[in-house]
Amino acid sequence: MSAIDRTKLQNDAVRRQVREAGHAHMLLSDAELDASRHATFEHLAPDAPVWIFAYGSLMWSPLMQFAERRRARIHGWHRGFYLWSKINRGTPDLPGLVLALDRGGSCMGVACRLDPSTLAEDLALLWRREMIAGTYVPRWMRAATPDGPVDAVAFVVDRSKDTYAGRLDDDTIVDVALRARGHYGPCRDYLVETADSLARMNMADARLTRLAARCRVAVDDT
C-alpha cells in the first residue's frame, strides 16, 4: 500500500523530510515544478478537459479528484521497472524500483479526466508527487478508450538521468522489491498492488503478475 496521502502532498511533507535528511539536491525546486507543469499545459485551451494516463500507483492510489475514468491503451510505449527510486520507494543507500514508460510496444492503463473544480490544486499535487526528483518526463499521448481516443499526459522515463535502470532481469527486480522502502512505502507493496489492480480490472500485465507471485512466495517463506 501507499504511505503517501493527499494531506502529506498538500503539506509538502515528503520534500520537507528529504531536505531535513540532507538530500535537498535530489529535489526539483518549486520554480522547476511550476515551470514543468506550465510548459506541459501551455498549449491547452482554458476550458479543455485534462486527462492523465495512469499505469502504476496512480491507478490504485490516485489522490486526485476525477470526473471520469476509462480503460485505455497507448501505443509506442510500454510499462516496466525502468526507474531507480531514491525517495518514493527507496533511499539513496538502497534505491527501490518504480514503473515508467519506455519506448516500444503498448500499455494498458486508465485514462483519468480531472475534475475541473479542483484542477489547479490537483495538477500542483500531481507534479509534487510524480516529478519530485525530475526523473520522469511529462508527455502527451493519444490514448484509445472504449468511448473514443483522448489526449492524455503520461509520465515517461528520462533516459538521460542516472536513475534510468535499463532492462533488469526478474531476479534483480524481486530482490530490490523485497528490500527497498521509501517515503511512499515499501517497494514490494507498490509492485504487488499494481499487479493486483491490473488483474482486478481484467488487464493483467503478465510480467507484473509473475513478479508479484515471486514476492509473495518469498515473504511466505520468511
Side-chain angles (χ1 to χ4, degrees):
M1 297 296 179
S2 178
I4 189 71
D5 57 34
R6 189 176 178 91
T7 300
K8 288 181 180 178
L9 288 175
Q10 291 170 328
N11 295 338
D12 208 10
V14 172
R15 292 204 302 161
R16 185 171 62 252
Q17 291 166 3
V18 172
R19 292 189 190 99
E20 290 171 354
H23 301 304
H25 62 281
M26 299 190 332
L27 302 171
L28 289 190
S29 67
D30 288 337
E32 289 171 320
L33 288 174
D34 290 344
S36 169
R37 189 172 70 254
H38 293 155
T40 301
F41 295 100
E42 63 183 354
H43 72 284
L44 207 62
D47 58 347
V50 174
W51 292 86
I52 304 296
F53 180 72
Y55 59 89
S57 62
L58 287 177
M59 294 187 300
W60 49 269
S61 180
L63 308 182
M64 293 175 288
Q65 304 301 314
F66 294 120
E68 184 180 0
R69 288 163 61 93
R70 302 181 190 174
R71 290 168 58 96
R73 181 186 291 274
I74 58 169
H75 293 276
W77 300 84
H78 69 282
R79 168 179 42 228
F81 282 99
Y82 297 131
L83 189 58
W84 292 111
S85 176
K86 300 178 181 181
I87 296 174
N88 301 9
R89 298 287 170 172
T91 66
D93 293 329
L94 181 57
L97 286 163
V98 291
L99 294 164
L101 295 175
D102 206 354
R103 290 188 176 276
S106 66
C107 180
M108 286 293 297
V110 179
C112 308
R113 179 167 63 87
L114 294 182
D115 188 331
S117 67
T118 56
L119 180 60
E121 180 182 11
D122 280 333
L123 285 178
L125 295 182
L126 177 63
W127 250 249
R128 186 174 286 175
R129 169 182 172 168
E130 297 299 314
M131 294 295 291
I132 185 169
T135 51
Y136 287 111
V137 177
R139 185 182 181 95
W140 285 95
M141 305 275 188
R142 192 71 163 168
T145 83
D147 297 314
V150 298
D151 292 320
V153 173
F155 294 94
V156 310
V157 70
D158 186 343
R159 285 189 167 200
S160 71
K161 299 293 180 64
D162 62 4
T163 47
Y164 177 57
R167 305 304 199 261
L168 300 175
D169 59 39
D170 286 8
D171 289 346
T172 300
I173 294 171
V174 170
D175 179 64
V176 170
L178 292 172
R179 295 187 299 119
R181 181 188 184 99
H183 289 278
Y184 291 9
C187 186
R188 174 198 174 275
D189 290 359
Y190 170 87
L191 188 161
V192 170
E193 186 58 38
T194 303
D196 289 352
S197 295
L198 287 164
R200 287 194 296 268
M201 291 184 286
N202 295 315
M203 47 186 183
D205 181 305
R207 191 180 190 199
L208 277 181
T209 298
R210 183 173 72 246
L211 292 168
R214 289 189 56 180
C215 285
R216 287 191 174 97
V217 169
V219 171
D220 290 342
D221 287 345
T222 58

